[in-house]
């Protein structure tokens, strides 16, 4: 059953919530008709917003084009053969093209968030019923009540105007009657006229009293309207719009709570408020005008109309200036001479005739001090600390979206002027902001407002290596900034649990999956450099310095640098396996070993390296020579390694890895991410590929069948590494007593690696030879051992292994010199030694094996294949004779020599 089918089985209140989430910009009919098509493409897409990522933008643009095509195709033959549905689908296709062609990410992210919300509603329908904020109902009811009040006030004011007109006529009639009365000569008639005039005046006074009562009642209604408007506006602006702005900061850390429908709803509320306020303002001015026409003094009654006019004007000013917002924030880590975008929107642009003037908006960059001065004075500063190209644009009204906005798509920061640094401050700590400002008239031009808004903090960099620390500054600010703060103050110490939530949000946004509670506890212990009880207390706090200033113990990097590098490599190279849960990632090395010791041989898990930034290592179970399990750690892979071969391909290469912890076959976990074999670029060539090979190290020998313990003496290239490695590592030549200063490189034919390991009372030195698939150059043979002082062999061996082995297979025994004297460079002072080389018709041995080991060795490092072949072939025996005190030689033989080493 599709997700949409399950959604339609939910209670009606939950369905209303889902309809509200989608908003007006995405008709619910589109979700209904294209349910399976949408879910197929978006249901498993990671929920994150990374609008500056070109690949993400391209993915969103592709989806938009496919959506429009699918709408047009479905409209031809809608599933339910509904004419209204056909019209609605075609209309939606046109609207999507107009609304989102310039910003497809907006629609793409919105739909992903809506699908996630649908999943939550299915999982927890009872909770979703109560998700509706009860104060939303208060806002809606308040707006409805205000609209009724405004209509009543307007009607009362209209009737009052009529009463004023009748009153003025009566007053005019009295004035005329007075004049006529004065002209009457007859006393009786004059007295009768006087009595009628008195009655008229009595009626006028009663009318004035009645009108005054109506006017006072109207003024009281004005005050009620203003009071209720202030309450509703307070909720809309300082609760919902403020929360939307706070969510912008959280979205900068990767939170997915931002929704275009939320802002559309807030805009609708603000437009209603603007109409209510403007209408009330007009009614107050009309009441004041009518009162002035009567020219009636009311000494015992205070006149509240002027004060009401001031109050309603202040409400209008607060509404206009607050609803000038940044809909799409500029990048918070901004690199000079790099294109960036931002969008500004006026939420009341559909009212008060503002859209008719297309106001100009100007953008500048200001320092933290300038931002503080702007906020304190509530006046946009003309100062700037940098130069931005393409920084002006006009607010334009979109008839389809009913939005008044301007999108700056091609701005560039050319210059920046920095403040003087104090103490340990760096350029990555310095915060700037983009200031957007405009000016326009409202109504009929009688009121002019200057509006401005400041972006979220911005860190300006000039090089990519400044990004990690810059993102530390921004992440901390987005997570812990108070909306009413002084720009851009943030606390120096915060709750660890709040920081952990911010880190988890950021990691989920970058990679597509949250960290586990175990991962989070590991991060806590790493940040505090101590073992802590689980779960940690809410009272546990972490400082800014611990977060990104102080290096980790025995490391040259901070906690944030380590976390950022792990997040970056997971986002760029490990997204698929991480989302599948195939990577444990954040776990102590010791705990990983504890887990693996309970598993069978070949079980492995992946964890982020403690010692290498952006490194991920494989810990796996091997068997030691005594049959006991041992945990080995492969040298960490970094982004540079993954650029050559992916993690999944490397895991496939390692034949010693069988099961992903705890017991999942590795092919089930990683085969979907392995790289399929590619076609050769030129058919005239045989294709080749790079493969990863595990190599033994000193502390972690890899066991092979019939392999002696001679691996134990191999030494890692860096014994101080935090993670001793067994794979992709190098082993260097080392000796307890002597070390040759120069041995040329030894190469053997047929692509096989051979090496020798000498041991005895005088030395313990591994050596390595590298592979030469082509063997020696044509017409040449390997150098004679005379280059290091040993006598030449009695018989030169064949030029390549193939010839030698062919001769051996044919039964032609090959002999070489025996008891050859060891070069003095390989012996302790005063000691002598000899080598006995054994061959037979059934043994295959590379040509010049011993001679070239002695003569051509150049100090290269030994690989595991060479050692394996060396230790499974007894080609020679080494005998040394230490120099006695009396000058005579006494023969001695090492047990290792007897085995042929």
């Amino acid at each position: 059953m599709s997700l949409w089918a399950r959604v339609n089985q939910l209670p009606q209140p939950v369905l209303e919530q889902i309809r509200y989430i989608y908003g007006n910009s995405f008709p619910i009919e589109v979700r209904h008709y294209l349910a399976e098509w949408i879910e197929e493409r978006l249901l498993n897409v990671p929920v994150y917003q990374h609008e500056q990522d070109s690949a993400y933008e391209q993915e969103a643009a592709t989806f938009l084009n496919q959506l429009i095509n699918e709408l047009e195709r479905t409209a031809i033959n809608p599933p339910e053969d509904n004419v209204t549905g056909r019209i609605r689908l075609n209309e939606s296709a046109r609207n999507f093209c107009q609304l989102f062609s310039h910003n497809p990410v907006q629609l793409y992210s919105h739909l992903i968030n809506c699908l996630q919300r649908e999943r939550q509603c299915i999982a927890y329908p009872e909770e979703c019923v109560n998700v509706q904020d009860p104060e939303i109902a208060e806002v809606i009811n308040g707006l409805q009540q205000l609209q009724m009040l405004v209509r009543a006030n307007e009607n009362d004011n209209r009737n009052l105007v009529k009463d004023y007109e009748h009153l003025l006529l009566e007053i005019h009639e009295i004035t005329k009657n007075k004049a006529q009365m004065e002209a009457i000569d007859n006393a009786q008639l004059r007295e009768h006229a006087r009595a009628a005039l008195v009655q008229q005046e009595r009626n006028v006074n009663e009318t004035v009293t009645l009108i005054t009562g109506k006017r006072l009642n109207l003024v009281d209604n004005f005050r009620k309207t203003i009071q209720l408007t202030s309450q509703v506006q307070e909720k809309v602006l300082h609760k919902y719009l403020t929360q939307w702005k706070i969510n912008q900061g959280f979205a900068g850390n990767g939170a997915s709570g931002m929704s275009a429908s939320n802002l559309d709803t807030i805009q609708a509320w603000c437009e209603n408020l603007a109409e209510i306020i403007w209408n009330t303002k007009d009614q107050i001015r009309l009441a004041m005008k009518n009162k002035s026409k009567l020219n009636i003094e009311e000494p015992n009654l205070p006149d509240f109309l002027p004060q009401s006019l001031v109050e309603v004007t202040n409400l209008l000013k607060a509404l206009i200036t607050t609803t000038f917002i940044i809909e799409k924030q500029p990048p918070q880590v901004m690199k000079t001479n790099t294109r960036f975008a931002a969008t500004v929107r006026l939420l009341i642009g559909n009212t008060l005739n503002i859209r008719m003037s297309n106001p100009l908006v100007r953008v500048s960059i200001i320092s933290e001090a300038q931002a503080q001065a702007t906020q304190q004075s509530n006046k946009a500063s003309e100062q700037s600390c940098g130069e931005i190209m393409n920084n002006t644009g006009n607010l334009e009204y979109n008839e389809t979206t009913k939005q008044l906005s301007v999108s700056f798509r091609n701005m560039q920061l050319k210059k920046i002027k920095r403040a003087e640094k104090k103490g340990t401050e760096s350029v990555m700590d310095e915060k700037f902001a983009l200031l957007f400002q405009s000016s326009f008239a409202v109504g009929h031009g009688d009121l002019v407002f200057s509006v401005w808004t400041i972006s979220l903090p911005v860190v300006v960099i000039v090089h990519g290596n400044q990004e990690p620390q810059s993102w530390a500054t921004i992440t901390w600010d987005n997570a812990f900034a108070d909306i009413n703060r002084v720009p851009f103050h943030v606390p120096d110490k915060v709750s660890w649990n709040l920081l952990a939530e911010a880190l988890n949000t950021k990691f989920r946004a970058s990679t597509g999956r949250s960290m586990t509670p175990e991962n989070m506890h590991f991060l806590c212990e790493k940040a505090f450099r101590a073992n802590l009880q689980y779960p940690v207390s809410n009272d546990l706090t972490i400082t800014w310095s611990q977060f990104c200033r102080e290096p980790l113990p025995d490391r040259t990097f901070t906690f944030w640098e380590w976390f950022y590098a792990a997040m970056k490599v997971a986002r760029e190279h490990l997204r698929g396996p991480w989302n599948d849960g195939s990577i444990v990632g954040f776990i102590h090395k010791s705990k990983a070993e504890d887990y693996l010791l309970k598993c069978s041989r070949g079980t492995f898990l992946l964890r982020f390296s403690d010692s290498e930034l952006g490194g991920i290592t494989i810990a796996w179970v091997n068997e030691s020579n005594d049959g006991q399990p041992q945990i080995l750690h492969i040298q960490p892979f970094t982004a540079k390694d993954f650029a050559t071969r992916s993690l999944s391909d490397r895991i496939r290469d390692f034949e010693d890895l069988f099961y992903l912890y705890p017991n999942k076959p590795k092919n089930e976990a990683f085969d979907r991410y392995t790289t399929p074999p590619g076609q050769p670029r030129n058919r005239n060539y045989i294709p080749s590929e790079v493969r990863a090979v595990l190599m033994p190290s000193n502390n972690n020998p890899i066991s092979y069948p019939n392999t002696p313990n001679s691996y134990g003496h191999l030494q890692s290239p860096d014994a101080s590494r935090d993670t001793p490695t067994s794979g992709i590592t190098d082993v260097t030549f080392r000796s307890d007593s002597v070390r040759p200063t120069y041995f040329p490189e030894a190469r053997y034919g047929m692509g096989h690696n051979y090496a020798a390991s000498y041991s005895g009372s005088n030395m313990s030195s591994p050596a390595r030879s590298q592979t030469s698939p082509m063997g020696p150059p044509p017409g040449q043979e390997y150098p004679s051992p005379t280059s290091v002082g040993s006598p030449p062999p009695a018989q030169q061996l064949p030029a390549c292994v193939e010839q030698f082995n062919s001769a051996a297979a044919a039964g032609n025994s090959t002999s070489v010199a025996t008891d050859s004297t060891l070069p003095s460079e390989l012996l302790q002072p005063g000691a002598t030694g000899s080598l006995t080389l054994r061959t037979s018709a059934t043994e295959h041995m590379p040509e010049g094996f011993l001679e070239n080991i002695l003569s051509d060795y150049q100090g290269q490092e030994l690989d595991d294949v060479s050692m394996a072949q060396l230790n499974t072939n007894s080609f020679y025996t080494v005998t040394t004779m230490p120099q006695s005190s009396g000058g005579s030689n006494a023969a001695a033989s090492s047990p290792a020599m007897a085995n042929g080493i």
Side-chain angles (χ1 to χ4, degrees), residues 461-479:
I461 64 174
V462 297
H463 195 278
N465 60 13
Q466 296 173 324
E467 278 191 9
Q469 181 59 33
S470 299
W471 276 116
T473 302
I474 294 302
T475 300
W476 190 277
D477 192 285
N478 287 341

Side-chain angles (χ1 to χ4, degrees), residues 175-244:
T175 303
K176 184 178 72 172
N177 290 339
K178 279 185 178 181
Q180 291 177 350
M181 183 188 66
E182 296 295 333
I184 298 176
D185 295 332
N186 188 301
Q188 185 177 0
L189 293 176
R190 180 183 297 175
E191 187 63 27
H192 179 74
R194 187 186 302 278
L197 185 62
V198 170
Q199 184 61 38
Q200 276 186 317
E201 289 178 344
R202 186 180 298 114
N203 291 338
V204 167
N205 289 333
E206 291 177 356
T207 302
V208 169
T209 301
L210 181 63
I211 290 176
T212 300
K214 289 183 177 181
R215 187 178 64 79
L216 292 177
N217 184 63
L218 179 61
V219 171
D220 189 54
N221 287 337
F222 285 154
R223 297 183 65 186
K224 289 180 180 179
T225 302
I226 293 172
Q227 184 178 7
L228 182 56
T229 302
S230 178
Q231 293 173 358
V232 174
Q233 181 167 299
E234 178 76 14
K235 277 197 178 75
V236 172
L237 299 184
H238 296 93
K239 176 178 174 62
Y240 295 103
L241 185 57
T242 295
Q243 186 60 52
W244 186 88

Side-chain angles (χ1 to χ4, degrees), residues 106-118:
Q106 180 182 354
L107 176 66
Y108 191 63
S109 300
H110 176 60
L111 288 182
I112 292 173
N113 293 334
C114 289
L115 291 180
Q116 184 190 34
R117 183 66 176 151
E118 288 182 21

Side-chain angles (χ1 to χ4, degrees), residues 503 507 515 523 559-568 586:
L503 295 178
F507 202 89
M515 293 181 283
L523 289 181
F559 168 79
W560 167 257
E561 289 172 332
W562 176 84
F563 174 82
Y564 181 86
M567 179 174 63
K568 189 172 186 292
F586 299 104

Side-chain angles (χ1 to χ4, degrees), residues 815-878:
S815 63
V816 294
T818 60
D819 298 331
S820 300
T821 302
L822 281 171
S824 59
E825 292 89 343
L826 299 179
L827 300 174
Q828 289 181 341
T832 61
S834 63
L835 300 95
T836 301
L837 201 67
R838 304 191 307 276
T839 63
S840 68
T842 60
E843 286 183 302
H844 292 191
M845 184 179 69
E847 62 91 19
F849 177 78
L850 178 63
E851 290 81 354
N852 285 289
I853 283 295
L854 298 179
S855 64
D856 291 352
Y857 180 66
Q858 202 174 28
Q860 286 77 26
E861 296 161 342
L862 185 67
D863 62 13
D864 59 332
V865 178
S866 300
M867 287 302 303
Q869 292 172 335
L870 168 65
N871 285 280
T872 55
N873 293 277
S874 299
F875 288 137
Y876 62 91
T877 302
V878 177

